[in-house]
Structures are given as C-alpha cells and as structure tokens.
Amino acid sequence: FPVTIFLAFPFNQTGRPANRVDPEFKKFIREIKVLYKECGRGHLLDMIDDASIKFKPIEKYIYAQCYMHLNRIEVNRSGWDFLDDYEKEELLLHELGHCVLKKLDETGDSIMKGKGGMLGIKYTQNYNKYINEYFGCIEEKCCDVRYDWEKYNE
C-alpha cells in the first residue's frame, strides 16, 4: 500500500512559514523595510520577508553571518547583547545586503565592510552617505535620509 505523509508547517497570513524572524529583530526589520521603500527599493520587500533571521551559537568573534543561497541570517546572541540600537540596525542592514542585494563584503568605510568591524557612530553621523552607497547610488542619490534617534524608543 502506498503511504501518504502530510507535513504540517505553521504559516502566517502571507503564506510564508511563520516564526522566520526572532521577535527581537522585528523592530529593526520594520525600520529597514521603511528605508528600502524610501530609497526606491520597495520591490525587494518580499525578499526581506522571506529571510530567516535567528539567534544561533556561532563563532565567538563573529556578530552574524548570512547564508545567501538559503536567505538565512544567523546572529550571535552574545555579541548582539552588547550592541546599541543603531549598531544592531547596521548589523542587520549589512547581513540583508548579502541576502537581499547579493552584495559581498567590502573594504573601507561602508555598511558592507567585512572583517574588521562596523562603522559605529559614523553610521549615524554619515547616514545619508552610507545608505545611498549601500543602494548603489553614488552619483545620483536614491534618497535623502537622516538617522532618527527616536525610532527605537518605544
């Protein structure tokens, strides 16, 4: 006799598997999606929605890593807990740059800066420059944005 097995996976209203994003990341992802829309990249929001972003135990000195082919981001909890909100946003934006924009790590001052650290406070001070660079808009600006220090004060 042939046997049919049905697997049940929890799905949300959009038809995507539920619980793909750890709740602690949701406020940052919400703001990053607003940024994508403001900068003319709204057509990429489905890719952000499809990403899996979870805490996972990873190598001690790595804050996060993206598996582009799986659209999965794993974040090191011990590193995350020491970051300020603007650094958390920068970290997730960097990893989504891999998963969504298919960017590789770069050198120098960039959101996509690879090994060697993050921009830190420079991220907020030169926000518009870094965001336009992130979206590939060097000559012609995609958007005119300023860092909002109040956006994570709930």
Side-chain angles (χ1 to χ4, degrees):
F1 290 88
V3 177
T4 304
I5 300 174
F6 294 96
L7 300 175
F9 296 100
F11 287 86
N12 62 21
Q13 309 85 308
T14 66
R16 292 183 179 91
N19 303 319
R20 291 182 56 81
V21 176
D22 188 286
E24 197 164 334
F25 301 127
K26 290 189 179 198
K27 69 180 182 180
F28 299 100
I29 297 304
R30 180 184 66 238
E31 293 298 327
I32 288 170
K33 287 170 69 174
V34 167
L35 186 62
Y36 267 69
K37 283 186 214 172
E38 286 179 5
C39 295
R41 301 302 189 272
H43 62 284
L44 299 172
L45 296 181
D46 281 345
M47 291 182 73
I48 294 173
D49 290 337
D50 288 341
S52 171
I53 309 170
K54 300 276 191 178
F55 285 114
K56 294 278 184 181
I58 52 180
E59 211 174 305
K60 185 177 180 179
Y61 297 105
I62 297 175
Y63 281 102
Q65 53 194 15
C66 169
Y67 296 89
M68 282 199 257
H69 62 290
L70 299 173
N71 201 15
R72 183 176 77 209
I73 297 169
E74 295 178 352
V75 179
N76 183 338
R77 165 64 87 176
S78 62
W80 177 266
D81 289 340
F82 288 100
L83 297 177
D84 289 322
D85 282 347
Y86 67 88
E87 293 171 313
K88 291 174 180 179
E89 177 184 289
E90 181 190 347
L91 179 66
L92 291 175
L93 199 57
H94 174 95
E95 297 306 331
L96 286 168
H98 293 309
C99 285
V100 175
L101 301 177
K102 306 303 181 202
K103 290 174 152 270
L104 300 176
D105 283 340
E106 299 172 2
T107 58
D109 282 351
S110 166
I111 291 170
M112 294 310 299
K113 182 177 183 176
K115 292 180 175 56
M118 298 166 52
L119 294 167
I121 195 68
K122 288 193 296 187
Y123 172 71
T124 61
Q125 294 168 338
N126 299 299
Y127 190 67
N128 192 53
K129 170 188 173 274
Y130 290 126
I131 295 303
N132 278 283
E133 175 190 271
Y134 175 80
F135 287 119
C137 305
I138 304 302
E139 299 296 322
E140 187 176 318
K141 301 289 184 214
C142 298
C143 52
D144 186 21
V145 292
R146 300 288 173 259
Y147 189 81
D148 176 6
W149 286 97
E150 301 299 317
K151 65 183 164 185
Y152 297 119
N153 293 341
E154 297 175 6

